[in-house]
Amino acid sequence: MSQGTRLPDHDDRHLIREGLDHTVVVEAAAGTGKTTELVARILNVLASGRARIEQIVAVTFTEKAAGELKLRIRKELEGLRQRASASEVQARLTDAIQRLEEAHVSTIHGFCADLLRERPVEAGIDPLFEVLTEPRAERIFDEAFRVWLGERLEDPPEGVRRSLRRSSRRIFRAISWSS
């Protein structure tokens, strides 16, 4: 892309990066630059002194994306610190790099789990709870659904019985005609 070419969403990207007085919700397809703009916004917040790294929250959907986001933040922080001319900005960025592990960069599930661990009594949950892995959650759901469905099919309402009889007759006819 040439220097003079502006992207159609240039103003939106500028707002994400520079509009620190605005709350921004960004929704866009994969590969459109959301993470790049989010990292730039985080750096601007830190460099301006509007927040410290431990006050930053960035959530993603996958562990992989959260790890990549944290790595990108670190890389960009180091680059910006080297380019910064003002000593107070360099000091803020150095502090952010040193305390990056205090930033809340995680999955949505991880962030919620952290909140619940901080306030288990208020949430009314066991403080020793565990977040289920996706495969385990699927197994528990499948088993609960099988039990629920079995209970419902033991004595289904008349409408369900009629529907099941109708469906089985159609299937039987289709099998008979194709034989």
Side-chain angles (χ1 to χ4, degrees):
M1 182 167 65
S2 68
Q3 291 284 69
T5 306
R6 280 175 48 131
L7 293 171
D9 62 353
H10 171 81
D11 293 339
D12 294 330
R13 289 175 183 269
H14 180 76
L15 177 64
I16 295 167
R17 286 175 178 248
E18 308 291 333
L20 304 182
D21 291 328
H22 303 282
T23 299
V24 182
V25 176
V26 179
E27 183 179 352
T32 56
K34 294 181 301 292
T35 302
T36 299
E37 299 306 331
L38 176 60
V39 169
R41 183 178 180 91
I42 290 170
L43 267 57
N44 284 336
V45 166
L46 295 170
S48 68
R50 289 172 168 258
R52 294 181 316 279
I53 194 72
E54 66 273 13
Q55 296 172 311
I56 299 292
V57 175
V59 293
T60 64
F61 287 101
T62 67
E63 293 289 342
K64 181 182 176 193
E68 290 172 0
L69 179 58
K70 197 168 256 191
L71 288 174
R72 284 180 68 175
I73 291 171
R74 177 177 300 283
K75 179 183 174 194
E76 296 299 322
L77 273 170
E78 290 171 352
L80 184 58
R81 179 183 63 174
Q82 290 173 359
R83 294 187 309 272
S85 56
S87 61
E88 65 271 4
V89 172
Q90 284 181 335
R92 284 190 207 103
L93 298 174
T94 298
D95 179 65
I97 292 167
Q98 291 171 345
R99 297 161 38 121
L100 183 59
E101 291 308 311
E102 295 177 40
H104 301 282
V105 179
S106 66
T107 62
I108 294 168
H109 293 87
F111 178 69
C112 292
D114 288 345
L115 289 176
L116 292 172
R117 283 190 182 93
E118 286 178 17
R119 305 253 190 262
V121 174
E122 294 88 337
I125 62 166
D126 180 347
L128 299 176
F129 77 92
E130 293 180 30
V131 177
L132 294 178
T133 63
E134 193 169 323
R136 186 163 177 227
E138 286 177 12
R139 283 192 305 272
I140 291 171
F141 174 83
D142 290 345
E143 178 59 27
F145 183 75
R146 269 194 299 278
V147 168
W148 175 85
L149 185 60
E151 289 171 356
R152 295 303 170 273
L153 292 178
E154 282 178 12
D155 187 27
E158 182 54 35
V160 173
R161 285 190 207 141
R162 272 194 313 270
S163 179
L164 289 172
R165 282 192 301 265
R166 228 177 291 135
S167 296
S168 61
R169 274 190 250 138
R170 271 191 232 130
I171 292 170
F172 178 73
R173 280 188 217 135
I175 293 170
S176 299
W177 291 336
S178 64
S179 305

